[in-house]
Structure formats: structure tokens, C-alpha cells
Amino acid sequence: MLPFLALAAALGLGACATRPDPANPEAVAEFRANNDPLEPLNRGAYFVHDGIDTLVLRPAAEIYRVFLPPEVRTAIRNILANLRTPVILANDLMQGETQRAATTTGRFLVNTTVGIGGIFDRATDFGLIGHTEDFGQTLAVWGAPEGPYLFIPVLGPSSPRDVVGFAGDVALSPFTYTGGGETWDAINITRTGTTAVSTRESLIEPIDQVRATSLDPYATIRSAYRQRRVVEIRNQVTGAAATSDSGLGSGIQGMRR
């Protein structure tokens, strides 16, 4: 991820959005609100992403939906969320959110046991409502600046803070340190691939709607991402399932809520 940032910075020197005339306060305010000085570069990345999505990601999500009934897809989402619990708990604790940490711990214990390894979300039945948390949010709570908006093909909307947060979550995940044998490698690859396909399947209708109704899908997704991250950082109730590996792409994910 760090090499990507270096490349983005280098290319951004020649691909920065034109700053509006200071005499136009409305245009200046919009430019600052968008926080997208690398817009030409980001739009190029979005164009690449859209092609990959059209040719690979969306078809894979459709196949996933056709062959797996809703009950099975829900069980898979529940398992993925349960597997991510250690990362959520670590970030709860680093933010000093002891009550949320207790809820996260309770959810893991209940869903792992009564929920049969996380297949069923029994914790919600006990009033233990799930929440998302990632190291990008932790950095924000610690006062780290967001940095300029970034769009990364396949991963989606992000920021320098969330890119660093992604690396932090990888470091916090127990799966990073599981044995190096072929079996564990296969498990990790399967988990990552299933997370991507499951997330994309849940977004088929929202993204189709954005493409069909938005005059500028890129700007719509950018706005959704930035609004979503503000809500997550403030720990506002969203009812979001924790199936994503990080804050990357959370704006697109947020459109399904």
C-alpha cells in the first residue's frame, strides 16, 4: 500500500484538480468539501475499477447469488463477521471504548458457541448489537488527519489514513500469524476471496442503481464514502455487519444499509 501512495503522490503532481478561483467562495467550499485534489488520477482509477467490476466482480457476485440460497449467504456473512471480531476488539480497546469492547467480546463468545462457530448471529437476539471498527477509525480518534481522497481499483474509495489503517488491521488480525502451511494459506485465501464476493453480492442492487440514476457515479460514491466514514468514526449506530477487512471501500458498502 505504501508504494501505491508514493505513486499516487508522484502522479498527483501532474494530475491535480484545478483549484477554483478564490473569488468564488461557493466553488472553494465545494472543492474543500470534496477533499479530492487528485481527482483526475482518482477518476482514472475509478474507470479501471469499473471495468474490472463489470468484467469480473459483478459476474462473480451474480454466480455466487445464483448458486447459494439466501440462508447460506447470510450464514457466510455471519461467519466472516465473527472471524473479524479480534480486529474489532483490538480497535475498540485502542480507542478506549470499554463498553463497545465488552459488547464485541460478548458477541464473539455467544456466536462462537450458541451460534455454532458464527453461523448464526445469536448475539443480536441477546441484545448484543454488532458494530464495525478498524484501525483507520482508530487513527482518526487519535487525531490523525484524513489526507486527500483516494480511489483504489478493486478496493474502492479510501484515504491515506485508511490505507495505513488497512495495514494496521492486517497486523492486528490473528490470521496474519497463523501457520505458514498450505492448509492455512488456502484458508486465508478462501476467507479473503469469499469476503470480496459476499460484499459485492450484497451491493448488486445499490451499485446498479447508482450507475442507472446518478449523473456522476464517481462523485456519488465519493460522497457516500466520506459521509460513511464520519458516521463510523463517531460510532453512530448503523447496523453494519463487520464483513469488510478495513475501512477501504466502506463508502460503497455503506450504500447497502
Side-chain angles (χ1 to χ4, degrees):
M1 290 302 175
L2 292 179
F4 172 85
L5 286 181
L7 176 62
L11 294 177
L13 293 177
C16 293
T18 303
R19 292 182 176 274
D21 185 344
N24 187 338
E26 293 184 359
V28 171
E30 181 181 3
F31 182 84
R32 290 176 177 172
N34 290 336
N35 189 33
D36 193 4
L38 302 176
E39 184 171 347
L41 176 66
N42 284 328
R43 283 187 178 272
Y46 174 76
F47 178 79
V48 172
H49 169 86
D50 196 52
I52 295 173
D53 186 72
T54 300
L55 296 175
V56 180
L57 301 180
R58 192 183 188 284
E62 289 180 321
I63 293 172
Y64 179 83
R65 174 177 288 187
V66 168
F67 285 96
L68 295 182
E71 297 80 6
V72 175
R73 298 199 302 269
T74 297
I76 290 173
R77 283 195 296 271
N78 289 341
I79 292 171
L80 293 171
N82 200 51
L83 291 175
R84 181 165 163 72
T85 301
V87 173
I88 297 174
L89 176 60
N91 282 291
D92 283 336
L93 293 173
M94 286 190 290
Q95 293 178 34
E97 296 284 353
T98 55
Q99 183 58 52
R100 286 165 68 88
T103 298
T104 300
T105 302
R107 283 184 57 81
F108 182 74
L109 294 175
V110 171
N111 285 340
T112 301
T113 55
V114 182
I116 313 177
I119 294 176
F120 304 102
D121 183 10
R122 298 305 184 202
T124 297
D125 299 336
F126 288 93
L128 298 171
I129 309 301
H131 61 268
T132 61
E133 207 67 73
D134 57 71
F135 194 58
Q137 293 170 247
T138 298
L139 290 173
V141 171
W142 289 353
E146 177 185 10
Y149 176 77
L150 297 174
F151 195 98
I152 304 174
V154 179
L155 295 179
S158 187
S159 68
R161 184 175 64 199
D162 280 344
V163 170
V164 175
F166 176 86
D169 284 336
V170 171
L172 291 170
S173 174
F175 285 94
T176 301
Y177 308 101
T178 51
E182 293 183 1
T183 299
W184 276 110
D185 288 344
I187 290 174
N188 281 327
I189 291 172
T190 300
R191 179 181 66 92
T192 301
T194 303
T195 297
V197 175
S198 176
T199 299
R200 185 60 183 88
E201 183 276 329
S202 70
L203 292 168
I204 289 177
E205 287 79 14
I207 292 180
D208 284 353
Q209 183 178 10
V210 168
R211 286 172 171 167
T213 62
S214 176
L215 295 176
D216 187 354
Y218 169 84
T220 299
I221 290 173
R222 178 182 61 196
S223 177
Y225 161 77
R226 302 202 66 225
Q227 292 178 42
R228 176 73 174 181
R229 289 308 273 169
V230 169
V231 168
E232 291 176 337
I233 291 166
R234 293 176 179 174
N235 290 338
Q236 296 174 357
V237 177
T238 63
T243 57
S244 172
D245 280 338
S246 75
L248 295 173
S250 65
I252 296 179
Q253 295 171 36
M255 291 191 292
R256 72 174 181 263
R257 306 302 174 193

